[in-house]
């Protein structure tokens, strides 16, 4: 787990095969992140956000937070967020929350 956590911090520099391996490891770890999505949307790797976002777009676990292993995540601050997932989504994040 320590080796995989260290690789998670370097996600962008990994080969596509290594990224797929990290994604599998991450999905197992993300199951334990209670509270990251009240709607139980599955997290997926989200380019441009350096981590995994729930399919609803309201919760984000960065590579660094996942590697840290403490269950931290970011939540969208709806009062400061503009756009939608379909057009020009510009989220303002709260956190990290634990």
């Amino acid at each position: 787990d320590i080796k995989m956590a260290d690789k998670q911090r370097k996600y962008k520099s990994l080969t596509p095969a290594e990224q797929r391996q990290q994604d599998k490891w991450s999905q197992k770890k993300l199951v334990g992140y209670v509270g990251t999505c009240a709607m139980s949307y599955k997290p997926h790797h989200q380019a441009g956000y350096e981590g995994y976002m729930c399919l609803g777009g309201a919760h984000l676990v960065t590579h660094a937070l996942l590697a840290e292993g403490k269950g931290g995540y970011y939540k969208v601050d709806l009062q400061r967020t503009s756009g939608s997932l379909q057009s020009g989504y510009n989220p303002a994040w709260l956190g990290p929350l634990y």
Side-chain angles (χ1 to χ4, degrees), residues 33-46:
Y33 280 58
V34 178
T36 53
C37 185
M39 300 300 291
S40 299
Y41 289 130
K42 183 178 178 182
H44 66 287
H45 186 260
Q46 184 66 41

Side-chain angles (χ1 to χ4, degrees), residues 6 11 20 31 33 36-38 40-41 44 48 53 55 63 65-67 73 79-81 84-85 87 90-91 94-95:
D6 186 51
Y11 188 91
R20 285 190 296 277
V31 169
Y33 280 58
T36 53
C37 185
S40 299
Y41 289 130
H44 66 287
M53 185 183 292
L55 289 173
H63 296 305
L65 285 174
L66 189 61
Y73 65 97
Q79 297 192 359
R80 296 185 316 144
T81 294
S84 69
L85 282 176
S87 63
N90 187 20
L94 294 172

Side-chain angles (χ1 to χ4, degrees), residues 7-8 10-26 45 52:
K7 286 176 95 175
Q8 192 68 33
K10 303 170 189 166
Y11 188 91
K12 284 178 71 172
S13 65
L14 300 176
T15 67
E18 290 173 316
Q19 287 180 352
R20 285 190 296 277
Q21 185 180 27
Q22 283 304 121
D23 288 338
K24 287 179 185 176
W25 176 81
S26 297
H45 186 260
Y52 300 86

